[in-house]
Amino acid sequence: MLSQYRTVYSGGEAEIIEKKSRFIATVKPVKSEEEAIAFIESLKKKYWNATHNCSAYVIGEHFQVQRCSDDGEPSGTAGKPMLDVLLGEQIHDTVVVVTRYFGGTLLGTGGLVRAYQSSTKAGLEASVVITKTHGHKVCIQTDYTGPGKIQYILGQRGITILNTEYTDKVDLEVLLPEEIVKQIMAEITEGTNGQAVMEIVEECYFANVNGEMIVFDE
């Protein structure tokens, strides 16, 4: 299991113009090849009158599934350059379709490669790309003397407290990256003189999405 990986949280759309040809890139996060294929087919129906609907997608933590299509463009000038962008940016579980409306001027092999790569990059820039971190949701319970020290320890690592509840005790819920879980728990135990009780609630992936910490089920 990867400690971190990049993926698209929400897809986007972008358009560029090259010598009067329109290139429309549409990006979507996907979890399976079937989902990617269905999305490609839906774009072909949406842009049924386009000259080409080229595509590329990558599925899996280790890019186990990689597919691309030139959809009638000269071999190697569209799908492969698009796929190269996804792999180069280390983007997982994502499909992109670049729709072309021919503008009357031939771009040549090099021009097509650049146009499809630029379109794909523009599509990714229009999307919300996140880095998912593998770790654990941890519940920390302490008396009222503990929160200040715990907050200091977490703040030193840039770790955000998800939730805090005050009853006769103080319960804090945090997300800790896998590689520092034991170390942070040891530091909290020492910092609170053993007064803090910690429980790993669940294993998960999490990411910062527009300033908000989101937990993913996978």
Side-chain angles (χ1 to χ4, degrees):
M1 186 171 286
L2 295 177
S3 60
Q4 286 190 330
Y5 72 94
R6 299 183 76 213
T7 189
V8 171
Y9 179 73
S10 59
E13 183 180 295
E15 179 177 333
I16 68 170
I17 305 293
E18 288 288 341
K19 294 183 179 179
K20 297 183 180 180
S21 278
R22 294 174 61 203
F23 292 86
I24 306 166
T26 311
V27 178
K28 178 181 171 63
V30 290
K31 292 185 177 180
S32 67
E33 187 165 18
E34 291 75 18
E35 191 178 347
I37 292 171
F39 178 71
I40 293 167
E41 291 304 314
S42 72
L43 266 292
K44 287 183 175 180
K45 290 179 181 177
K46 178 179 178 179
Y47 297 111
W48 60 271
N49 60 340
T51 315
H52 306 279
N53 284 290
C54 304
S55 59
Y57 57 88
V58 286
I59 308 290
E61 286 188 355
H62 301 284
F63 303 112
Q64 296 94 317
V65 179
Q66 304 176 23
R67 302 281 188 271
C68 60
S69 169
D70 294 314
D71 194 40
E73 291 281 31
S75 180
T77 63
K80 182 61 164 59
M82 293 164 61
L83 182 63
D84 287 344
V85 171
L86 294 176
L87 295 174
E89 296 286 337
Q90 293 288 296
I91 303 292
H92 298 251
D93 299 337
T94 299
V95 57
V96 56
V97 176
V98 175
T99 301
R100 182 189 183 190
Y101 285 92
F102 183 55
T105 302
L106 296 175
L107 300 183
T109 300
L112 285 173
V113 169
R114 287 189 294 273
Y116 280 101
Q117 286 186 330
S118 296
S119 302
T120 302
K121 290 177 181 178
L124 289 174
E125 289 173 1
S127 306
V128 177
V129 178
I130 61 173
T131 298
K132 289 185 177 181
T133 299
H134 177 245
H136 297 275
K137 183 185 289 186
V138 178
C139 181
I140 306 169
Q141 186 177 80
T142 182
D143 59 26
Y144 276 76
T145 65
K149 184 62 178 179
I150 293 170
Q151 288 169 357
Y152 175 77
I153 293 170
L154 296 175
Q156 290 290 96
R157 301 297 187 97
I159 295 169
T160 303
I161 296 174
L162 284 183
N163 189 39
T164 305
E165 290 186 5
Y166 298 91
T167 55
D168 56 324
K169 296 283 188 177
V170 182
D171 291 302
L172 303 96
E173 194 173 68
V174 298
L175 294 168
L176 301 179
E178 173 69 33
E179 63 270 16
I180 62 170
V181 169
K182 291 182 180 179
Q183 185 176 351
I184 291 294
M185 292 176 74
E187 289 179 8
I188 290 174
T189 297
E190 181 180 354
T192 61
N193 296 316
Q195 295 304 304
V197 177
M198 288 165 284
E199 178 187 4
I200 294 178
V201 179
E202 65 174 312
E203 182 179 4
C204 60
Y205 273 103
F206 57 90
N208 186 321
V209 182
N210 297 325
E212 180 183 359
M213 297 303 293
I214 303 292
V215 179
F216 299 89
D217 295 333
E218 61 205 275

